[in-house]
Amino acid sequence: GNSVTQMEGPVTLSEEAFLTINCTYTATGYPSLFWYVQYPGEGLQLLLKATKADDKGSNKGFEATYRKETTSFHLEKGSVQVSDSAVYFCALSDNSGGSNYKLTFGKGTLLTVNP
Amino acid sequence: DVKVTQSSRYLVKRTGEKVFLECVQDMDHENMFWYRQDPGLGLRLIYFSYDVKMKEKGDIPEGYSVSREKKERFSLILESASTNQTSMYLCASSLLSGGTNQPQHFGDGTRLSIL
């Protein structure tokens, strides 16, 4: 079956530090990959996505590249801000089966950025 | 922007009660989803629906049912609430066209406590 493994948190950084949150996946077929962010007290918001190998998704200074050879989709940001404090979820959508609209989520990584 | 509205942010019910959680989306999306979110477990899919009156079980459907009588509304029903159903419940919707590339749009969640 499909699965997503992301680094366990919590991750605590100082403002302007470099961020990497690792995400690897197992899937049949050719999945689409997503990063979602959940700010305190809110639902999940799509942060970025990539739909095929070597695609790079980017938004709000965050980037992630779809690496088929390493089955990875690591999230990076060059300089984090306090406002980036949130829980980040890696997810995949697999188009190989009948239930091809479902997302499989990682367990989430809590990021705290201190001023 | 897509808006997914969940009827309650916080809800407290008693063991054995029948509980209804309501979700409405305003973008004519075909797919709708119910998840529960628990610390250390991430998001787990309870049920989803890809059309009016159509539904499919997710990964943890036991103790839940759903109803989709109109395209914009997807209800989650706890037939006889139990304390282990205390959780954060998230509703989401997505377009059918474009397949797995379509992101899901989430509501702000309902934090349900069963006493």
Side-chain angles (χ1 to χ4, degrees):
Chain A
N2 299 330
S3 68
V4 174
T5 303
Q6 61 182 103
M7 64 187 286
E8 292 189 21
V11 174
T12 303
L13 296 173
S14 298
E15 210 165 19
E16 299 184 2
F18 184 85
L19 168 71
T20 300
I21 301 178
N22 290 338
C23 172
T24 58
Y25 67 89
T26 303
T28 53
Y30 303 95
S32 297
L33 301 173
F34 305 86
W35 276 100
Y36 283 82
V37 58
Q38 185 179 33
Y39 298 104
E42 298 183 11
L44 276 70
Q45 303 174 24
L46 178 68
L47 181 59
L48 52 85
K49 70 175 184 180
T51 58
K52 62 183 187 298
D54 299 325
D55 266 3
K56 178 186 280 188
S58 62
N59 185 27
K60 299 182 181 180
F62 291 89
E63 292 183 340
T65 302
Y66 186 166
R67 302 284 188 203
K68 191 167 185 291
E69 63 276 12
T70 55
T71 61
S72 65
F73 192 54
H74 304 322
L75 182 68
E76 296 182 336
K77 187 174 185 183
S79 176
V80 294
Q81 305 300 311
V82 172
S83 56
D84 294 327
S85 298
V87 181
Y88 291 82
F89 292 92
C90 184
L92 72 81
S93 181
D94 186 354
N95 63 3
S96 64
S99 298
N100 57 2
Y101 312 114
K102 295 195 303 181
L103 284 174
T104 300
F105 285 90
K107 293 185 178 179
T109 302
L110 173 63
L111 170 66
T112 302
V113 180
N114 295 318
Chain B
D1 272 358
V2 176
K3 188 155 181 64
V4 178
T5 302
Q6 296 184 228
S7 53
S8 304
R9 291 298 302 270
Y10 301 94
L11 206 53
V12 180
K13 296 291 182 181
R14 296 207 173 273
T15 303
E17 280 192 68
K18 190 169 186 176
V19 181
F20 293 85
L21 302 183
E22 307 288 344
C23 176
V24 176
Q25 50 93 3
D26 66 356
M27 284 301 292
D28 206 35
H29 284 174
E30 293 86 358
N31 299 325
M32 295 189 75
F33 308 82
W34 275 107
Y35 296 88
R36 64 178 282 177
Q37 181 180 10
D38 299 289
L41 298 177
L43 275 74
R44 294 179 291 167
L45 181 66
I46 305 171
Y47 267 98
F48 71 104
S49 168
Y50 50 90
D51 200 355
V52 174
K53 298 192 186 294
M54 306 303 289
K55 62 186 179 184
E56 281 196 28
K57 292 180 180 179
D59 300 317
I60 52 163
E62 297 78 18
Y64 303 93
S65 62
V66 290
S67 172
R68 188 142 182 227
E69 297 296 321
K70 293 184 178 181
K71 192 175 185 181
E72 67 270 18
R73 185 180 297 271
F74 192 35
S75 302
L76 179 69
I77 303 155
L78 285 66
E79 297 290 345
S80 177
S82 63
T83 54
N84 63 11
Q85 292 178 309
T86 291
S87 186
M88 169 72 89
Y89 289 87
L90 292 168
C91 175
S93 70
S94 70
L95 275 172
L96 180 64
S97 63
T100 59
N101 296 338
Q102 294 298 333
Q104 292 183 14
H105 299 266
F106 285 80
D108 285 339
T110 296
R111 188 166 291 284
L112 175 65
S113 297
I114 306 296
L115 305 179

